[in-house]
Amino acid sequence: MTTAKIAVTVPELVLRRARGAVRRGKARSLSAYVSAALVQKSMLDDLGEMLEEMLARTGGPLTKAEERAADLVLNGAPRRRSPQR
C-alpha cells in the first residue's frame, strides 16, 4: 500500500491516549494507530451516508418509535440522545 506523510494537530489528551494505546500494544506505532482511526472514521461516514440515502428512498427519517425499536434490536437498550433532539 502506498503511504503519504501528513502533519496533524490534536489535543494533548488525545495524543496521550493514543501513545498509551501504542505502549499497551494496541498498534505497532502512533502512525498505525492514527491510520486505523482514520479508516474507522471513514467507514462510519460511509455507513452514515448509506443510511441517509436509504431513509431518503424509503420515506424519510425514522419516527421516535422506529428509533426505539431499532435501538432495542441493535443494542439491547435505547441509545442516549443529544440535547438537540
Side-chain angles (χ1 to χ4, degrees), residues 49-64:
E49 289 172 13
M50 273 194 326
L51 178 59
E52 287 177 18
E53 184 179 325
M54 290 168 56
L55 288 172
R57 289 182 181 191
T58 59
L62 299 176
T63 65
K64 293 204 183 293

Side-chain angles (χ1 to χ4, degrees), residues 29 34 58 75:
S29 67
V34 170
T58 59
N75 304 323

Side-chain angles (χ1 to χ4, degrees), residues 5-83:
K5 190 170 188 166
I6 63 170
V8 297
T9 302
V10 297
E12 282 287 330
L13 179 59
V14 171
L15 181 57
R16 281 196 306 271
R17 287 179 175 172
R19 286 180 172 157
V22 172
R23 279 192 304 275
R24 292 187 306 278
K26 301 294 182 182
R28 67 182 182 281
S29 67
L30 188 56
S31 290
Y33 187 86
V34 170
S35 182
L38 290 172
V39 167
Q40 190 173 29
K41 173 66 170 125
S42 70
M43 289 172 52
L44 288 172
D45 289 347
D46 290 347
L47 285 171
E49 289 172 13
M50 273 194 326
L51 178 59
E52 287 177 18
E53 184 179 325
M54 290 168 56
L55 288 172
R57 289 182 181 191
T58 59
L62 299 176
T63 65
K64 293 204 183 293
E66 290 169 330
E67 285 183 4
R68 282 191 299 276
D71 288 340
L72 288 172
V73 169
L74 296 173
N75 304 323
R79 64 181 176 182
R80 292 184 173 194
R81 303 207 187 285
S82 60

